[in-house]
Amino acid sequence: MVDEGHTVEIHHPPQRGGVLGFVTKYIFATDHKIIGIQFLFSTLIWFAIGGFLALAIRWQLAWPWSDMPIFGNWLFAAEGGQITPEFYSMLFTMHGTIMIFFVVIPVLAGAFGNFLIPLMIGADDMAFPKLNMLSYWFMWPAFILMTMSFFSPGYGPGAGWTAYPPLSVINDAIPGSGDAQSLWTLGLVFVGISSMLGSLNYMTTIIQMRAPGMTMFRMPMTVWALFITALLQAFALPVLTSALLMQLSDRELGTGFYLAEGLSANNATAVAGGGQPLLWQHLFWFYSHPAVYIMILPAMGFVSDILSCFSRKPLFGYRPMVFSICGIAGLGFIVWGHHMFISGMNPVLGLTFMVSTMLIALPSGVKVFNWLATLWGGKIQITSPLLFAAGFVAMFIIGGLSGIVMAATTVNQYVTETYFIVAHFHYVLFAGSVLGMFAGFYYWFPKMFGRMMNDTWGKVHFVMTFVFLNGTFFPMHFLGNRGFPRRYADPYQYEQFADLLPMNQFMTICAFGMAAAQLIFLINFFGCMFFGKRAEQNPWKANTLEWMADSPPPHGNFTTQPTIYRGPYEYSQPKRSDDYWPQFEP
Amino acid sequence: MNRFWSLLFLCVPVLGMGAYLASYFDVWPMQSTWLPENVSVGGRTIDRLFNLIHLICAVIFVSTTTVLAVALWIYRSSNRQRASHVHSNTRLEIIWSIIPAGILIFLALYQYESWANDKIRRPMENGKPKPPTALIIAKQFGWEVYYPGLDGKLGTKDDIYVENELYVPENEDVVLQLESRDVIHSLFVPVLRIKQDIVPGMTHYCWFRAENADPNKNYEIACTELCGRGHYRMKGWLHIVPREQFDQVMLELGTARISTKLPTKE
């Protein structure tokens, strides 16, 4: 274990790997930074694909059954360029799957986790570099299987990202229930293996490889958040993996884990029975609710560090912040049933899950109050990372509060499965996690690529994203109030929803605006990678350890063994002339 | 330029709350975006809780997002020499943990009674659970509705079968028995505020008491659990009619159509 406060001899030569060839350096890399960047590029590509799927969903909801521009004639020549209902099911199924499993989880845990953990705790690499390489390369079978799923009959699975059986298990239930569904299931198994390898590495590295003086309570919030995320993944993922394998076995081997006796679908008669469809829901949400925290906790960590750095003020309530992350994670394991209040699960159980769910709002609230208190009394520097972090706080408040509406069983009965829940999770996952991700990009880009991103275009990107995301997602609350169901290819053929068409058109226009804003980001991101202003070692005058290394850090990270003298948030210490006091300076 | 940012963040509480108030008071451009018409006794409770939770959330929303905007206004760097060096404040931490905890536990306990009425305490008749007014079998993509017929029992020869048309008597407790033939469906009637998933292999019951309904109006029933390509058009009709009219309809349907499709049950 680490001992506090005094220098220790360097254990490894800093250039541990020596000079590397192109293939070992950039492709089958074992360097945590390269692996992080590999994750980052892969997720950006999937982010674009998932975004296009979202635009197609919005197109159908605003102008139902009209020819889709550009892609329409290419994809649905037979239907005259229109989206078909089963294609629409594929769109939201794959949009959800890709955004969750191929974008948010791998970018937060995979890209940022890999890049930041060793740098922020003063290690020269992960504990198991080869395992780390495998964790990236296990994503590739998943990428390939999911791509194959797109090209299978039905153009992809159509059972929703939640894949509730029997719809997802009976081969003839919908056109996409054939091979597409099996490939999807298998793909997610690989994502699970990848995350599992990653989380083992993160836990071991954080527990074993902290630099001298880096006690647990001197770790930055980002590292704490990634640590707890790794724990969540390690304990929740085995359940999803086994659930997926059971589903695969139901589909391919004719078992009946999730099928009740005597069913038929689409006139095809039944299959083995004796199972229970609700079993899947329990297992799936036992993973997928903690997954919600896997997707938000790292972003909360980034936001904490960024707000503190750019208000030049210590993070308010560091320990309560750490405990609230632990509280969210702990409670996260006993709230999965709130996805199932009306599922047919014993309604008495629903009451228990409601109480635990309500309680999770408590640590979340503590975090919000502490962020606000961090800004209060600071010397706030308005930069792109700060704006995205502050945007995260504002949007997380909305997403958190709509969570309370959802948690109340009685009200949940009315708003669940409507656009209210769609609003809720987009405020948490897009306006929360994705804004946090952007904050992280702008903040750590100099460390990743040795150049600065353009701040003015960053601000333009922020304003457009912020305005258009609210234009897209805020009206969803009102659709939900009216009972507007989600996953409908054409809700307007219900008389009671027909008058909501103009609102949907407004939302779609905003969604296109939001997509345009991301083009600005991409140009800024890739342009500055080559032509940006060269970054200094510590361009933001931040305290944490990654800013001690060169930008970008060499293989092995630090030229001298870092020693840690204090916590990460000593900004504006009155005794010092500088308004920051890095952890690594005596 | 620095003011611009705090003003942008001020738009969050101002426009967000503005939209909510406009929706609640039915003002342009948000007219008819609050809860739709309600015609059930349980729905009144749901609406009341919905409004109450929204009121509490609105207070928290406006205060926290305004603090954020104000902080960006007051504490921007051009205003100040140096930030204050404060690490934490135990009293504040305790206050902002205890108060929300109290509110949240109150909200949770406040749901118990209504949830029990909606989902746990099935209406009784003569000391026994009230028998179902109708059996609904959901399938891809429609609702089979069976009424017990004259003998008052489901699963007998005189059962009445209709597709997608649910008649219920007004001002009395109605129990529905729900089953599925193929995949999971969910019965959703917005005007009654009820929703219940229907899992194949399970039997569910849901109940409500309709009131103040327009007997000449047809209310829409929707499926809210993804069930395949026709999910979005799995529409049914709910007719809420006075008791005499209900009996009349049953008599007419009974003579017109005798069920043959009801699955035999032991």
Side-chain angles (χ1 to χ4, degrees), chain A residues 171-212:
Chain A
N171 271 295
D172 302 297
I174 27 170
S177 294
D179 293 345
Q181 187 73 37
S182 295
L183 292 166
W184 179 93
T185 316
L186 205 55
L188 290 195
V189 172
F190 280 99
V191 177
I193 296 170
S194 159
S195 299
M196 194 60 163
L197 296 176
S199 71
L200 272 176
N201 234 332
Y202 301 165
M203 288 189 292
T204 318
T205 308
I206 292 172
I207 293 173
Q208 292 293 344
M209 295 181 65
R210 280 168 289 131

mmCIF file of all heavy atoms in Angstrom, chain A residues 171-212:
data_model
loop_
_atom_site.group_PDB
_atom_site.id
_atom_site.type_symbol
_atom_site.label_atom_id
_atom_site.label_comp_id
_atom_site.label_asym_id
_atom_site.label_seq_id
_atom_site.Cartn_x
_atom_site.Cartn_y
_atom_site.Cartn_z
ATOM 1 N N ASN A 171 -39.088 -16.511 -32.687
ATOM 2 C CA ASN A 171 -38.460 -16.123 -33.952
ATOM 3 C C ASN A 171 -39.372 -15.418 -34.922
ATOM 4 O O ASN A 171 -38.925 -14.620 -35.726
ATOM 5 C CB ASN A 171 -37.881 -17.360 -34.623
ATOM 6 C CG ASN A 171 -36.461 -17.596 -34.172
ATOM 7 O OD1 ASN A 171 -35.593 -16.789 -34.452
ATOM 8 N ND2 ASN A 171 -36.248 -18.671 -33.436
ATOM 9 N N ASP A 172 -40.679 -15.733 -34.875
ATOM 10 C CA ASP A 172 -41.567 -15.158 -35.865
ATOM 11 C C ASP A 172 -42.371 -13.988 -35.338
ATOM 12 O O ASP A 172 -43.285 -13.519 -35.994
ATOM 13 C CB ASP A 172 -42.527 -16.245 -36.362
ATOM 14 C CG ASP A 172 -41.765 -17.404 -36.948
ATOM 15 O OD1 ASP A 172 -41.074 -17.182 -37.944
ATOM 16 O OD2 ASP A 172 -41.820 -18.502 -36.376
ATOM 17 N N ALA A 173 -42.045 -13.527 -34.148
ATOM 18 C CA ALA A 173 -42.876 -12.488 -33.549
ATOM 19 C C ALA A 173 -42.890 -11.209 -34.378
ATOM 20 O O ALA A 173 -43.918 -10.564 -34.511
ATOM 21 C CB ALA A 173 -42.403 -12.196 -32.133
ATOM 22 N N ILE A 174 -41.780 -10.820 -34.923
ATOM 23 C CA ILE A 174 -41.676 -9.645 -35.774
ATOM 24 C C ILE A 174 -40.601 -9.927 -36.815
ATOM 25 O O ILE A 174 -39.765 -10.802 -36.600
ATOM 26 C CB ILE A 174 -41.283 -8.357 -35.003
ATOM 27 C CG1 ILE A 174 -40.489 -8.715 -33.757
ATOM 28 C CG2 ILE A 174 -42.471 -7.498 -34.701
ATOM 29 C CD1 ILE A 174 -39.876 -7.540 -33.089
ATOM 30 N N PRO A 175 -40.573 -9.169 -37.907
ATOM 31 C CA PRO A 175 -39.593 -9.488 -38.948
ATOM 32 C C PRO A 175 -38.154 -9.464 -38.464
ATOM 33 O O PRO A 175 -37.340 -10.257 -38.910
ATOM 34 C CB PRO A 175 -39.835 -8.389 -39.992
ATOM 35 C CG PRO A 175 -41.248 -7.995 -39.806
ATOM 36 C CD PRO A 175 -41.527 -8.138 -38.337
ATOM 37 N N GLY A 176 -37.843 -8.592 -37.538
ATOM 38 C CA GLY A 176 -36.457 -8.523 -37.074
ATOM 39 C C GLY A 176 -36.131 -9.511 -35.967
ATOM 40 O O GLY A 176 -35.076 -9.450 -35.371
ATOM 41 N N SER A 177 -37.056 -10.434 -35.687
ATOM 42 C CA SER A 177 -36.816 -11.350 -34.576
ATOM 43 C C SER A 177 -36.004 -12.566 -34.965
ATOM 44 O O SER A 177 -35.802 -13.449 -34.150
ATOM 45 C CB SER A 177 -38.131 -11.855 -33.990
ATOM 46 O OG SER A 177 -38.819 -10.814 -33.415
ATOM 47 N N GLY A 178 -35.579 -12.622 -36.191
ATOM 48 C CA GLY A 178 -34.805 -13.779 -36.612
ATOM 49 C C GLY A 178 -33.347 -13.617 -36.223
ATOM 50 O O GLY A 178 -33.025 -13.351 -35.069
ATOM 51 N N ASP A 179 -32.474 -13.757 -37.217
ATOM 52 C CA ASP A 179 -31.043 -13.677 -36.953
ATOM 53 C C ASP A 179 -30.647 -12.347 -36.325
ATOM 54 O O ASP A 179 -29.747 -12.296 -35.501
ATOM 55 C CB ASP A 179 -30.265 -13.846 -38.261
ATOM 56 C CG ASP A 179 -30.439 -15.244 -38.809
ATOM 57 O OD1 ASP A 179 -30.898 -16.117 -38.036
ATOM 58 O OD2 ASP A 179 -30.140 -15.468 -39.994
ATOM 59 N N ALA A 180 -31.336 -11.296 -36.729
ATOM 60 C CA ALA A 180 -30.949 -9.981 -36.230
ATOM 61 C C ALA A 180 -30.947 -9.966 -34.709
ATOM 62 O O ALA A 180 -30.022 -9.458 -34.079
ATOM 63 C CB ALA A 180 -31.899 -8.916 -36.769
ATOM 64 N N GLN A 181 -31.970 -10.568 -34.113
ATOM 65 C CA GLN A 181 -32.071 -10.569 -32.658
ATOM 66 C C GLN A 181 -30.965 -11.411 -32.026
ATOM 67 O O GLN A 181 -30.378 -11.021 -31.020
ATOM 68 C CB GLN A 181 -33.458 -11.087 -32.248
ATOM 69 C CG GLN A 181 -33.753 -10.982 -30.774
ATOM 70 C CD GLN A 181 -34.016 -9.549 -30.325
ATOM 71 O OE1 GLN A 181 -34.628 -8.767 -31.058
ATOM 72 N NE2 GLN A 181 -33.531 -9.198 -29.153
ATOM 73 N N SER A 182 -30.664 -12.574 -32.646
ATOM 74 C CA SER A 182 -29.605 -13.417 -32.077
ATOM 75 C C SER A 182 -28.261 -12.711 -32.135
ATOM 76 O O SER A 182 -27.477 -12.759 -31.175
ATOM 77 C CB SER A 182 -29.515 -14.735 -32.848
ATOM 78 O OG SER A 182 -30.687 -15.473 -32.673
ATOM 79 N N LEU A 183 -27.981 -12.060 -33.260
ATOM 80 C CA LEU A 183 -26.708 -11.350 -33.397
ATOM 81 C C LEU A 183 -26.616 -10.227 -32.373
ATOM 82 O O LEU A 183 -25.561 -9.979 -31.790
ATOM 83 C CB LEU A 183 -26.574 -10.792 -34.819
ATOM 84 C CG LEU A 183 -26.424 -11.853 -35.907
ATOM 85 C CD1 LEU A 183 -26.637 -11.243 -37.280
ATOM 86 C CD2 LEU A 183 -25.048 -12.501 -35.830
ATOM 87 N N TRP A 184 -27.744 -9.559 -32.173
ATOM 88 C CA TRP A 184 -27.800 -8.473 -31.183
ATOM 89 C C TRP A 184 -27.442 -9.012 -29.808
ATOM 90 O O TRP A 184 -26.601 -8.464 -29.097
ATOM 91 C CB TRP A 184 -29.217 -7.908 -31.207
ATOM 92 C CG TRP A 184 -29.517 -6.799 -30.251
ATOM 93 C CD1 TRP A 184 -29.421 -5.464 -30.505
ATOM 94 C CD2 TRP A 184 -30.009 -6.915 -28.900
ATOM 95 N NE1 TRP A 184 -29.818 -4.751 -29.402
ATOM 96 C CE2 TRP A 184 -30.176 -5.615 -28.407
ATOM 97 C CE3 TRP A 184 -30.318 -7.989 -28.072
ATOM 98 C CZ2 TRP A 184 -30.646 -5.350 -27.128
ATOM 99 C CZ3 TRP A 184 -30.778 -7.738 -26.786
ATOM 100 C CH2 TRP A 184 -30.944 -6.428 -26.330
ATOM 101 N N THR A 185 -28.072 -10.137 -29.438
ATOM 102 C CA THR A 185 -27.843 -10.720 -28.117
ATOM 103 C C THR A 185 -26.378 -11.098 -27.932
ATOM 104 O O THR A 185 -25.751 -10.772 -26.923
ATOM 105 C CB THR A 185 -28.718 -11.980 -27.954
ATOM 106 O OG1 THR A 185 -30.018 -11.684 -28.442
ATOM 107 C CG2 THR A 185 -28.818 -12.413 -26.527
ATOM 108 N N LEU A 186 -25.832 -11.758 -28.956
ATOM 109 C CA LEU A 186 -24.446 -12.184 -28.885
ATOM 110 C C LEU A 186 -23.514 -10.971 -28.810
ATOM 111 O O LEU A 186 -22.523 -10.965 -28.080
ATOM 112 C CB LEU A 186 -24.127 -13.032 -30.116
ATOM 113 C CG LEU A 186 -22.993 -14.029 -29.995
ATOM 114 C CD1 LEU A 186 -23.225 -14.961 -28.824
ATOM 115 C CD2 LEU A 186 -22.863 -14.833 -31.279
ATOM 116 N N GLY A 187 -23.856 -9.943 -29.570
ATOM 117 C CA GLY A 187 -23.052 -8.717 -29.544
ATOM 118 C C GLY A 187 -22.967 -8.148 -28.140
ATOM 119 O O GLY A 187 -21.895 -7.769 -27.666
ATOM 120 N N LEU A 188 -24.100 -8.123 -27.445
ATOM 121 C CA LEU A 188 -24.087 -7.557 -26.097
ATOM 122 C C LEU A 188 -23.280 -8.413 -25.129
ATOM 123 O O LEU A 188 -22.693 -7.888 -24.184
ATOM 124 C CB LEU A 188 -25.514 -7.380 -25.582
ATOM 125 C CG LEU A 188 -26.315 -6.281 -26.259
ATOM 126 C CD1 LEU A 188 -27.542 -5.957 -25.440
ATOM 127 C CD2 LEU A 188 -25.495 -5.030 -26.472
ATOM 128 N N VAL A 189 -23.237 -9.729 -25.377
ATOM 129 C CA VAL A 189 -22.407 -10.572 -24.519
ATOM 130 C C VAL A 189 -20.946 -10.113 -24.617
ATOM 131 O O VAL A 189 -20.242 -9.993 -23.613
ATOM 132 C CB VAL A 189 -22.548 -12.060 -24.917
ATOM 133 C CG1 VAL A 189 -21.540 -12.916 -24.170
ATOM 134 C CG2 VAL A 189 -23.958 -12.555 -24.624
ATOM 135 N N PHE A 190 -20.517 -9.797 -25.839
ATOM 136 C CA PHE A 190 -19.133 -9.332 -26.010
ATOM 137 C C PHE A 190 -18.903 -7.972 -25.354
ATOM 138 O O PHE A 190 -17.844 -7.735 -24.770
ATOM 139 C CB PHE A 190 -18.756 -9.286 -27.494
ATOM 140 C CG PHE A 190 -18.400 -10.640 -28.035
ATOM 141 C CD1 PHE A 190 -19.329 -11.384 -28.747
ATOM 142 C CD2 PHE A 190 -17.148 -11.183 -27.809
ATOM 143 C CE1 PHE A 190 -19.009 -12.635 -29.225
ATOM 144 C CE2 PHE A 190 -16.820 -12.429 -28.285
ATOM 145 C CZ PHE A 190 -17.750 -13.169 -29.001
ATOM 146 N N VAL A 191 -19.889 -7.089 -25.456
ATOM 147 C CA VAL A 191 -19.744 -5.798 -24.768
ATOM 148 C C VAL A 191 -19.547 -6.045 -23.284
ATOM 149 O O VAL A 191 -18.699 -5.418 -22.629
ATOM 150 C CB VAL A 191 -20.991 -4.911 -24.978
ATOM 151 C CG1 VAL A 191 -20.862 -3.623 -24.198
ATOM 152 C CG2 VAL A 191 -21.191 -4.603 -26.442
ATOM 153 N N GLY A 192 -20.308 -7.011 -22.758
ATOM 154 C CA GLY A 192 -20.204 -7.329 -21.334
ATOM 155 C C GLY A 192 -18.821 -7.826 -20.963
ATOM 156 O O GLY A 192 -18.251 -7.404 -19.956
ATOM 157 N N ILE A 193 -18.274 -8.707 -21.800
ATOM 158 C CA ILE A 193 -16.928 -9.220 -21.504
ATOM 159 C C ILE A 193 -15.928 -8.071 -21.510
ATOM 160 O O ILE A 193 -15.081 -7.953 -20.619
ATOM 161 C CB ILE A 193 -16.527 -10.295 -22.524
ATOM 162 C CG1 ILE A 193 -17.468 -11.498 -22.407
ATOM 163 C CG2 ILE A 193 -15.083 -10.728 -22.318
ATOM 164 C CD1 ILE A 193 -17.319 -12.519 -23.514
ATOM 165 N N SER A 194 -16.064 -7.209 -22.509
ATOM 166 C CA SER A 194 -15.152 -6.073 -22.602
ATOM 167 C C SER A 194 -15.223 -5.210 -21.349
ATOM 168 O O SER A 194 -14.199 -4.856 -20.753
ATOM 169 C CB SER A 194 -15.497 -5.251 -23.844
ATOM 170 O OG SER A 194 -15.001 -3.955 -23.719
ATOM 171 N N SER A 195 -16.439 -4.884 -20.916
ATOM 172 C CA SER A 195 -16.585 -4.025 -19.734
ATOM 173 C C SER A 195 -16.033 -4.711 -18.498
ATOM 174 O O SER A 195 -15.449 -4.073 -17.619
ATOM 175 C CB SER A 195 -18.048 -3.700 -19.484
ATOM 176 O OG SER A 195 -18.580 -3.020 -20.566
ATOM 177 N N MET A 196 -16.227 -6.033 -18.427
ATOM 178 C CA MET A 196 -15.771 -6.782 -17.263
ATOM 179 C C MET A 196 -14.253 -6.722 -17.157
ATOM 180 O O MET A 196 -13.705 -6.452 -16.081
ATOM 181 C CB MET A 196 -16.239 -8.229 -17.415
ATOM 182 C CG MET A 196 -16.140 -9.016 -16.173
ATOM 183 S SD MET A 196 -17.145 -8.251 -14.919
ATOM 184 C CE MET A 196 -17.296 -9.549 -13.772
ATOM 185 N N LEU A 197 -13.560 -6.937 -18.304
ATOM 186 C CA LEU A 197 -12.102 -6.871 -18.284
ATOM 187 C C LEU A 197 -11.647 -5.481 -17.869
ATOM 188 O O LEU A 197 -10.717 -5.319 -17.082
ATOM 189 C CB LEU A 197 -11.550 -7.216 -19.671
ATOM 190 C CG LEU A 197 -11.819 -8.643 -20.162
ATOM 191 C CD1 LEU A 197 -11.317 -8.814 -21.581
ATOM 192 C CD2 LEU A 197 -11.154 -9.644 -19.254
ATOM 193 N N GLY A 198 -12.336 -4.472 -18.426
ATOM 194 C CA GLY A 198 -11.986 -3.099 -18.077
ATOM 195 C C GLY A 198 -12.162 -2.842 -16.596
ATOM 196 O O GLY A 198 -11.275 -2.295 -15.936
ATOM 197 N N SER A 199 -13.299 -3.284 -16.047
ATOM 198 C CA SER A 199 -13.571 -2.913 -14.662
ATOM 199 C C SER A 199 -12.626 -3.619 -13.698
ATOM 200 O O SER A 199 -12.212 -3.036 -12.696
ATOM 201 C CB SER A 199 -15.031 -3.184 -14.311
ATOM 202 O OG SER A 199 -15.268 -4.552 -14.228
ATOM 203 N N LEU A 200 -12.229 -4.853 -14.021
ATOM 204 C CA LEU A 200 -11.234 -5.540 -13.187
ATOM 205 C C LEU A 200 -9.946 -4.739 -13.114
ATOM 206 O O LEU A 200 -9.357 -4.542 -12.049
ATOM 207 C CB LEU A 200 -10.890 -6.898 -13.817
ATOM 208 C CG LEU A 200 -11.753 -8.075 -13.432
ATOM 209 C CD1 LEU A 200 -11.324 -9.304 -14.220
ATOM 210 C CD2 LEU A 200 -11.596 -8.337 -11.945
ATOM 211 N N ASN A 201 -9.553 -4.259 -14.289
ATOM 212 C CA ASN A 201 -8.338 -3.479 -14.396
ATOM 213 C C ASN A 201 -8.418 -2.191 -13.595
ATOM 214 O O ASN A 201 -7.480 -1.815 -12.896
ATOM 215 C CB ASN A 201 -8.130 -3.131 -15.869
ATOM 216 C CG ASN A 201 -6.775 -3.535 -16.348
ATOM 217 O OD1 ASN A 201 -5.836 -3.578 -15.560
ATOM 218 N ND2 ASN A 201 -6.660 -3.829 -17.610
ATOM 219 N N TYR A 202 -9.565 -1.508 -13.716
ATOM 220 C CA TYR A 202 -9.697 -0.221 -13.015
ATOM 221 C C TYR A 202 -9.616 -0.423 -11.514
ATOM 222 O O TYR A 202 -8.929 0.301 -10.807
ATOM 223 C CB TYR A 202 -11.033 0.460 -13.350
ATOM 224 C CG TYR A 202 -11.248 0.752 -14.813
ATOM 225 C CD1 TYR A 202 -12.502 1.067 -15.291
ATOM 226 C CD2 TYR A 202 -10.198 0.734 -15.717
ATOM 227 C CE1 TYR A 202 -12.718 1.330 -16.635
ATOM 228 C CE2 TYR A 202 -10.399 0.985 -17.052
ATOM 229 C CZ TYR A 202 -11.668 1.289 -17.508
ATOM 230 O OH TYR A 202 -11.892 1.549 -18.823
ATOM 231 N N MET A 203 -10.328 -1.466 -11.025
ATOM 232 C CA MET A 203 -10.346 -1.687 -9.581
ATOM 233 C C MET A 203 -8.948 -2.002 -9.077
ATOM 234 O O MET A 203 -8.467 -1.417 -8.108
ATOM 235 C CB MET A 203 -11.301 -2.832 -9.234
ATOM 236 C CG MET A 203 -12.751 -2.452 -9.406
ATOM 237 S SD MET A 203 -13.859 -3.706 -8.770
ATOM 238 C CE MET A 203 -13.602 -5.033 -9.897
ATOM 239 N N THR A 204 -8.272 -2.941 -9.769
ATOM 240 C CA THR A 204 -6.939 -3.328 -9.322
ATOM 241 C C THR A 204 -5.990 -2.147 -9.370
ATOM 242 O O THR A 204 -5.219 -1.902 -8.434
ATOM 243 C CB THR A 204 -6.396 -4.453 -10.220
ATOM 244 O OG1 THR A 204 -7.450 -5.362 -10.463
ATOM 245 C CG2 THR A 204 -5.231 -5.154 -9.581
ATOM 246 N N THR A 205 -6.039 -1.403 -10.471
ATOM 247 C CA THR A 205 -5.121 -0.280 -10.616
ATOM 248 C C THR A 205 -5.339 0.738 -9.514
ATOM 249 O O THR A 205 -4.387 1.224 -8.897
ATOM 250 C CB THR A 205 -5.326 0.375 -11.989
ATOM 251 O OG1 THR A 205 -5.255 -0.639 -12.987
ATOM 252 C CG2 THR A 205 -4.277 1.421 -12.261
ATOM 253 N N ILE A 206 -6.607 1.066 -9.259
ATOM 254 C CA ILE A 206 -6.869 2.111 -8.265
ATOM 255 C C ILE A 206 -6.492 1.623 -6.867
ATOM 256 O O ILE A 206 -5.938 2.366 -6.060
ATOM 257 C CB ILE A 206 -8.343 2.562 -8.333
ATOM 258 C CG1 ILE A 206 -8.584 3.287 -9.659
ATOM 259 C CG2 ILE A 206 -8.695 3.474 -7.168
ATOM 260 C CD1 ILE A 206 -10.021 3.624 -9.943
ATOM 261 N N ILE A 207 -6.734 0.361 -6.580
ATOM 262 C CA ILE A 207 -6.428 -0.125 -5.234
ATOM 263 C C ILE A 207 -4.913 -0.292 -5.047
ATOM 264 O O ILE A 207 -4.363 0.060 -4.011
ATOM 265 C CB ILE A 207 -7.173 -1.444 -4.961
ATOM 266 C CG1 ILE A 207 -8.684 -1.171 -4.904
ATOM 267 C CG2 ILE A 207 -6.706 -2.082 -3.653
ATOM 268 C CD1 ILE A 207 -9.529 -2.403 -4.802
ATOM 269 N N GLN A 208 -4.238 -0.787 -6.087
ATOM 270 C CA GLN A 208 -2.844 -1.195 -5.906
ATOM 271 C C GLN A 208 -1.797 -0.200 -6.397
ATOM 272 O O GLN A 208 -0.653 -0.267 -5.968
ATOM 273 C CB GLN A 208 -2.599 -2.533 -6.637
ATOM 274 C CG GLN A 208 -3.302 -3.704 -6.027
ATOM 275 C CD GLN A 208 -2.747 -4.047 -4.658
ATOM 276 O OE1 GLN A 208 -1.670 -3.626 -4.282
ATOM 277 N NE2 GLN A 208 -3.507 -4.812 -3.895
ATOM 278 N N MET A 209 -2.110 0.665 -7.335
ATOM 279 C CA MET A 209 -1.027 1.368 -8.021
ATOM 280 C C MET A 209 -1.009 2.873 -7.798
ATOM 281 O O MET A 209 -0.448 3.616 -8.593
ATOM 282 C CB MET A 209 -1.073 1.047 -9.518
ATOM 283 C CG MET A 209 -0.793 -0.429 -9.762
ATOM 284 S SD MET A 209 -0.812 -0.886 -11.481
ATOM 285 C CE MET A 209 0.562 0.025 -12.134
ATOM 286 N N ARG A 210 -1.625 3.338 -6.723
ATOM 287 C CA ARG A 210 -1.582 4.768 -6.453
ATOM 288 C C ARG A 210 -0.168 5.195 -6.066
ATOM 289 O O ARG A 210 0.545 4.450 -5.393
ATOM 290 C CB ARG A 210 -2.570 5.107 -5.330
ATOM 291 C CG ARG A 210 -3.999 5.208 -5.828
ATOM 292 C CD ARG A 210 -4.972 5.248 -4.681
ATOM 293 N NE ARG A 210 -5.052 3.950 -4.028
ATOM 294 C CZ ARG A 210 -4.957 3.776 -2.732
ATOM 295 N NH1 ARG A 210 -4.777 4.809 -1.923
ATOM 296 N NH2 ARG A 210 -5.051 2.573 -2.210
ATOM 297 N N ALA A 211 0.206 6.385 -6.505
ATOM 298 C CA ALA A 211 1.549 6.892 -6.227
ATOM 299 C C ALA A 211 1.681 7.164 -4.729
ATOM 300 O O ALA A 211 0.679 7.307 -4.035
ATOM 301 C CB ALA A 211 1.778 8.172 -7.020
ATOM 302 N N PRO A 212 2.918 7.263 -4.223
ATOM 303 C CA PRO A 212 3.110 7.535 -2.799
ATOM 304 C C PRO A 212 2.375 8.806 -2.390
ATOM 305 O O PRO A 212 2.471 9.831 -3.074
ATOM 306 C CB PRO A 212 4.621 7.731 -2.678
ATOM 307 C CG PRO A 212 5.209 7.089 -3.878
ATOM 308 C CD PRO A 212 4.172 7.102 -4.946
#
